[in-house]
Amino acid sequence: MALRTAGSVLVVFLWSVTVVLGQDGWSVTYTTQSICALKGSTVELTCSYTYPSGHKVTTTFWFTEWGTGVEPKDLGQDPEYAGRLKYHGDKKSDCTLRITDLRLSDSAGFRFRFITSGGKGSGPPVSLTVSDVVLEMDPTSVSEGERVTLRCRTNCTLDPITAFSWYKNGQPIPNSNTSSPVYILFSVSSEDTGRYSCSVEGHEDLPSAEETLNVTYGPRNTSVSVSPSGDIVEGSSVTLTCSSDANPPVDKYTWYKKKVTSPKASGQSYSITNISSEDRGEYYCEAQNGRGSMNSTALMIIVAGKQTSVLTAAVGIIVVVLVLILCLSGLMWFRKKNSTSTSNTRDTADDGQGDSSPVYDNISNMDMTPTAAQTESTYDQDDVHYASVHFSRSKNQEVPLYSTVQLHQPQKQDQDVQYAAVKFNLPSSATQPAAAQAAEVDASEIYSTVNKPRTKKT
């Protein structure tokens, strides 16, 4: 108990009572002839004695057992009292005895005996009753809303008693000190479940033993959990577990599926193996004990498609990536080939092929009719000749295409260069694309290189 303290001492002081043993000055005086003490406490048996003058005291002791013609045994020699018995008297007049750590077995009649040089004397018995503090609970097991009566008592009367203290789970109950030995719990709830005890005021370190209050109630806080957690796919297995707070514990669990009249299973756990789409739906459990029953909230099970293995998924991803790479490579190769083919086509196209796209004509070196002087100096000619180039455009042409213009490489550097204007025939604005109209607004001259007649150097 939390309030128990080591080394505490309960001392019972007794009222003075004179016991006369006979004439001629023999006597033993006790403070009382009846003592009530608590188990675990300390008690003092206070007494004094007298004897005739001229006598010398040789032996003093306390005893509990005696018989006719048999010398009583000294309690100081009894192993049951080893370390617990202390004689505070002397061999003159004081015969006080202290007993510590009282036990229930210490309840007995105690007597003092002394022997002098001239005779023997003994006092009458002093009754010692050792009691523990007892807590009585009625009833010890109740349903919520019922009443419980607690009673604190001892086997003998302690004097004086002013109040009693009450404890739950080793801690004082607030505002529970009362002069009455009865404490009542009205309309108990599950929160009142626990271990109770009581003590006598002034002896809080010596409380009663704890007996337990059991408050029963039906299932509450009933819920369902699923394992494993996460997505539920076809072919997998799950286990549903029902939990509930109840006293006494739940003794029956029943599983149901909404919109299905008959129960699915019984027991705290319910396993569903090889799940299919037919297993999807809302599941709940019913918890029941002797005090009532309660349903859990519904748990929705959603069944997804069959689970694909990690290896299969990885292979599928790799295949998709490879296909994409091949497609991209093929597309790039096709574009490159198409570009090369188009270029070759443009190089060989001419106006007589009926191509819808205008193509510039290949122009070769134009041979002029040479004069005698010109013929004579042909090989020395390094002048460059230019001819006028004419471009024709189809009405349906959107993008002009250009062809290669071949130029004659002169043997020597030309001294003079002549240029000829290049004329473009553009379609009407009605059939001309936007890009071409823009080009018409911002037209520029294009020059083509042609051969000019060579003259002889002087």
Side-chain angles (χ1 to χ4, degrees):
M1 174 61 65
L3 296 180
R4 184 183 296 276
T5 55
S8 59
V9 176
L10 172 64
V11 180
V12 178
F13 296 97
L14 309 176
W15 295 101
S16 177
V17 176
T18 301
V19 178
V20 179
L21 299 179
Q23 302 297 325
D24 302 327
W26 295 88
S27 67
V28 176
T29 303
Y30 300 119
T31 54
T32 186
Q33 286 186 283
S34 179
I35 303 174
C36 178
L38 293 177
K39 175 185 175 181
S41 64
T42 296
V43 66
E44 282 190 353
L45 307 180
T46 305
C47 77
S48 61
Y49 64 98
T50 63
Y51 46 88
S53 60
H55 288 227
K56 184 177 181 181
V57 178
T58 58
T59 304
T60 58
F61 61 91
W62 286 81
F63 64 95
T64 57
E65 298 177 359
W66 61 88
T68 304
V70 179
E71 187 67 21
K73 296 180 179 179
D74 184 359
L75 286 179
Q77 305 301 317
D78 190 340
E80 289 292 327
Y81 290 92
R84 300 193 298 122
L85 201 67
K86 179 67 174 178
Y87 180 65
H88 288 285
D90 52 29
K91 293 183 178 180
K92 293 182 179 180
S93 61
D94 190 0
C95 54
T96 300
L97 177 70
R98 170 175 284 195
I99 307 173
T100 61
D101 191 19
L102 286 175
R103 303 172 183 174
L104 295 179
S105 60
D106 291 337
S107 297
F110 289 77
R111 300 179 65 180
F112 174 70
R113 183 170 179 78
F114 63 99
I115 301 174
T116 69
S117 56
K120 300 177 180 179
S122 298
V126 176
S127 177
L128 173 63
T129 302
V130 180
S131 174
D132 53 4
V133 179
V134 178
L135 176 65
E136 295 177 342
M137 181 182 293
D138 183 32
T140 57
S141 181
V142 295
S143 299
E144 287 187 308
E146 296 183 358
R147 186 177 76 169
V148 176
T149 300
L150 307 178
R151 185 182 300 274
C152 193
R153 67 171 182 82
T154 59
N155 295 328
C156 56
T157 302
L158 297 174
D159 188 29
I161 296 178
T162 58
F164 295 86
S165 299
W166 306 88
Y167 309 90
K168 177 183 177 184
N169 297 328
Q171 300 300 320
I173 299 176
N175 305 319
S176 66
N177 287 1
T178 175
S179 59
S180 172
V182 178
Y183 183 69
I184 299 177
L185 298 173
F186 297 93
S187 186
V188 297
S189 66
S190 59
E191 286 75 18
D192 293 317
T193 298
R195 298 173 287 106
Y196 289 82
S197 60
C198 65
S199 67
V200 177
E201 187 179 47
H203 310 295
E204 288 82 2
D205 59 330
L206 301 170
S208 68
E210 294 180 332
E211 294 181 287
T212 300
L213 175 61
N214 184 35
V215 181
T216 60
Y217 49 90
R220 59 179 63 168
N221 302 324
T222 306
S223 62
V224 176
S225 61
V226 60
S227 177
S229 58
D231 295 337
I232 300 174
V233 297
E234 285 188 289
S236 64
S237 300
V238 296
T239 298
L240 307 181
T241 302
C242 187
S243 59
S244 181
D245 175 26
N247 187 26
V250 174
D251 53 22
K252 183 179 181 182
Y253 292 95
T254 307
W255 291 92
Y256 296 91
K257 182 180 180 182
K258 280 192 174 182
K259 299 181 181 180
V260 177
T261 56
S262 59
K264 299 293 292 182
S266 61
Q268 188 170 6
S269 296
Y270 171 43
S271 296
I272 308 175
T273 58
N274 195 21
I275 287 181
S276 65
S277 58
E278 296 178 355
D279 294 317
R280 66 167 53 94
E282 294 181 275
Y283 292 80
Y284 66 94
C285 69
E286 178 189 59
Q288 183 177 3
N289 69 355
R291 296 296 178 181
S293 63
M294 181 182 182
N295 292 344
S296 71
T297 55
L299 173 67
M300 172 61 75
I301 290 183
I302 301 176
V303 181
K306 255 188 179 179
Q307 188 175 14
T308 304
S309 66
V310 176
L311 180 59
T312 303
V315 171
I317 293 174
I318 293 174
V319 170
V320 171
V321 172
L322 291 177
V323 170
L324 290 176
I325 292 175
L326 290 176
C327 290
L328 290 175
S329 300
L331 181 61
M332 294 176 64
W333 176 84
F334 179 77
R335 287 185 175 180
K336 182 176 181 180
K337 181 177 180 182
N338 189 45
S339 175
T340 304
S341 176
T342 302
S343 176
N344 293 335
T345 302
R346 290 174 181 173
D347 290 341
T348 58
D350 56 18
D351 294 338
Q353 293 177 339
D355 192 351
S356 61
S357 301
V359 180
Y360 296 114
D361 294 331
N362 294 333
I363 300 176
S364 60
N365 296 331
M366 300 180 61
D367 292 335
M368 310 297 291
T369 303
T371 61
Q374 291 172 336
T375 304
E376 193 172 311
S377 60
T378 298
Y379 295 103
D380 296 330
Q381 179 65 36
D382 55 2
D383 294 334
V384 180
H385 298 264
Y386 297 89
S388 175
V389 180
H390 176 76
F391 297 90
S392 61
R393 177 171 295 177
S394 166
K395 292 183 178 181
N396 295 328
Q397 176 63 33
E398 292 181 0
V399 181
L401 302 179
Y402 299 88
S403 64
T404 304
V405 178
Q406 297 179 352
L407 303 177
H408 175 74
Q409 299 296 329
Q411 298 295 326
K412 295 182 180 180
Q413 183 177 3
D414 293 322
Q415 296 178 349
D416 298 316
V417 178
Q418 297 180 355
Y419 297 90
V422 178
K423 178 181 179 182
F424 295 88
N425 291 330
L426 301 177
S428 62
S429 60
T431 59
Q432 190 174 11
Q437 293 179 20
E440 184 177 4
V441 175
D442 187 17
S444 59
E445 291 183 347
I446 301 177
Y447 299 91
S448 173
T449 306
V450 296
N451 291 336
K452 89 172 183 179
R454 297 188 176 96
T455 56
K456 187 178 180 180
K457 294 182 179 180
T458 57

